[in-house]
């Protein structure tokens, strides 16, 4: 299978995966901290949401353009919906208030960094020949 070579200044697609995973872990950590739970359980709390991320990350359009806003929205929706469904299946529970708060926070985290990157690509990166792929 032919692979697309990166041009000078293009961003490594693995970077978007790492950022998304860190954002999901950060989301889980904030939740645990706000509920006075030990941060040592952050990964376990994040598992349903990380599985939602993995479910969408390798879908062709997301894989092809991991930095795009549409990919960010698809990742956000998958993380949110699958994360809450998996919490329900595994007995973690999910209240409507938690669903609403997590929808807002995850949108900010998973789509927000892509918005910042898009703005930077139109200003800073434009002059340095950076390309978002």
């Amino acid at each position: 299978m032919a692979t697309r070579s990166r041009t000078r200044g293009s961003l490594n697609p693995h970077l978007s995966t790492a950022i998304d995973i860190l954002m999901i872990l950060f989301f889980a950590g904030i939740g645990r901290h706000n509920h006075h739970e030990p941060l040592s359980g952050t990964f376990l709390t994040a598992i349903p949401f990380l599985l939602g991320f993995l479910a969408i990350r390798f879908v062709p359009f997301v894989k092809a353009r991991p930095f795009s806003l549409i990919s960010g929205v698809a990742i956000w929706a998958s993380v949110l919906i699958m994360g809450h469904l998996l919490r329900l299946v595994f007995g973690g529970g999910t209240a409507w208030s938690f669903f609403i708060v997590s929808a807002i926070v995850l949108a900010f985290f998973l789509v927000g960094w892509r918005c910042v990157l898009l703005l930077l690509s139109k200003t800073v990166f434009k002059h340095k020949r950076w390309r978002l792929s």
Side-chain angles (χ1 to χ4, degrees):
M1 177 188 330
T3 58
R4 189 170 31 146
S5 64
R6 292 186 357 209
T7 60
R8 182 176 155 234
S10 68
L11 298 173
N12 186 326
H14 298 299
L15 178 62
S16 70
T17 299
I19 292 171
D20 286 331
I21 289 171
L22 287 173
M23 290 291 126
I24 293 167
L25 290 170
F26 187 52
F27 160 74
I30 288 171
R32 291 189 65 83
H33 177 73
N34 287 342
H35 291 283
H36 308 289
E37 297 174 355
L39 292 178
S40 59
T42 298
F43 182 73
L44 289 175
T45 300
I47 285 175
F49 300 98
L50 290 169
L51 291 173
F53 169 71
L54 289 176
I56 191 84
R57 177 56 184 93
F58 299 103
V59 169
F61 82 90
V62 174
K63 186 177 180 182
R65 300 188 48 89
F67 295 97
S68 73
L69 288 180
I70 192 69
S71 291
V73 170
I75 289 168
W76 165 74
S78 178
V79 167
L80 178 68
I81 293 166
M82 291 207 49
H84 282 279
L85 287 176
L86 289 171
R87 280 181 57 87
L88 285 172
V89 168
F90 294 115
T94 184
W96 278 108
S97 58
F98 175 47
F99 184 83
I100 292 167
V101 168
S102 60
I104 294 166
V105 172
L106 286 169
F108 181 76
F109 286 170
L110 298 174
V111 181
W113 72 262
R114 288 173 170 85
C115 290
V116 170
L117 193 62
L118 180 64
L119 290 173
L120 289 173
S121 72
K122 301 242 183 248
T123 58
V124 175
F125 295 155
K126 182 178 179 181
H127 302 292
K128 293 186 179 185
R129 297 184 192 155
W130 283 80
R131 183 176 67 82
L132 297 178
S133 51

